[in-house]
Amino acid sequence: MEAKTRGELGGEIARLVLFHSPSDIQQMKRNFETKVRDLDPAYRERVTSKITEHLLGTYLRIRLDNQQGVYRIWDQPIADNKKKYWQMVAGQCNEANGADAPAIRFLKYLLAGYAMLVLDEPGHLVGTPFPGGNEVEFTEGIYYCPVRDKAGDVDAALCPFCPAQHTPKIGYLRPATKPTERNKQEFIDNCYRNHNFNG
């Protein structure tokens, strides 16, 4: 919470993350697989793959950034509202909360914090699917998430700290960036209901 720049925060997160080994990442993957075991197999496979890619990819990125010493040149300030993230993390990582061991839970939040607060990327990797067929997207320099505005529905959601914007509704002036079959049908229904056609 006391870090003032992206570099200071990145260095502090790296110091804590690098106490962990890749086996801890594998444990996080197994914990996640247990949580999603009752989901549709096709969706479960896609979401597990993306979560694993996020966990391992962020861990390796931290190792690389630390080795290259990039923290010295990352002098952009951290917004005050982003510091509230660590207050939320402290509340979530006590022994009484959650099924994961506190150290593993803390590692999960460190990796997400690095992505969102240091790299200015979403807490969920681009391509992470959500129920309904939509996924996190990156279009024209902007990250979009289909559940960004649902932060109040989930305890300890990453959404308030995530740089992604909510995926815009499909419409005449703004079509879906990567339309699913459901998006396409919504677009057709929207045109049918809201536009008069002559002829």
Side-chain angles (χ1 to χ4, degrees):
M1 285 176 59
E2 294 176 5
K4 293 180 174 53
T5 66
R6 283 177 56 216
E8 286 179 24
L9 181 58
E12 285 300 311
I13 291 175
R15 184 176 60 80
L16 295 168
V17 166
L18 296 177
F19 279 127
H20 295 271
S21 70
S23 64
D24 292 324
I25 302 294
Q26 290 302 319
Q27 182 61 51
M28 292 171 73
K29 178 181 182 281
R30 287 190 293 274
N31 292 353
F32 183 77
E33 287 171 344
T34 300
K35 292 174 187 172
V36 298
R37 66 176 171 241
D38 296 330
L39 298 179
D40 171 68
Y43 173 74
R44 182 178 64 223
E45 184 176 331
R46 285 183 63 215
V47 74
T48 300
S49 172
K50 276 298 176 183
I51 293 299
T52 302
E53 183 182 345
H54 162 69
L55 296 174
L56 189 56
T58 305
Y59 178 80
L60 294 175
R61 172 73 189 266
I62 290 170
R63 288 184 66 176
L64 180 63
D65 289 345
N66 189 59
Q67 288 172 354
Q68 292 179 338
V70 298
Y71 304 127
R72 292 188 304 262
I73 60 172
W74 288 356
D75 57 0
Q76 300 88 346
I78 299 168
D80 286 338
N81 66 334
K82 302 282 183 171
K83 294 180 181 182
K84 293 178 183 173
Y85 178 76
W86 302 110
Q87 294 171 341
M88 182 272 289
V89 170
Q92 290 299 310
C93 290
N94 65 47
E95 296 264 358
N97 289 334
D100 298 335
I104 294 293
R105 202 172 324 133
F106 186 47
L107 178 58
K108 175 182 75 173
Y109 284 116
L110 287 170
L111 295 173
Y114 194 85
M116 295 184 302
L117 309 179
V118 177
L119 301 178
D120 203 31
E121 296 175 358
H124 293 97
L125 198 63
V126 170
T128 301
F130 287 91
N134 293 323
E135 58 187 45
V136 178
E137 302 173 24
F138 184 66
T139 305
E140 298 177 4
I142 301 172
Y143 292 103
Y144 293 105
C145 176
V147 298
R148 176 66 177 80
D149 289 349
K150 308 273 189 206
D153 298 347
V154 180
D155 185 35
L158 301 178
C159 303
F161 312 99
C162 183
Q165 296 180 20
H166 189 77
T167 304
K169 289 190 182 274
I170 190 166
Y172 178 69
L173 295 177
R174 180 138 192 142
T177 52
K178 291 174 73 179
T180 61
E181 287 304 314
R182 192 183 85 191
N183 292 141
K184 291 174 187 176
Q185 188 59 49
E186 286 175 1
F187 183 74
I188 291 168
D189 293 344
N190 182 43
C191 288
Y192 181 77
R193 276 192 314 271
N194 300 315
H195 301 283
N196 291 321
F197 295 99
N198 295 325

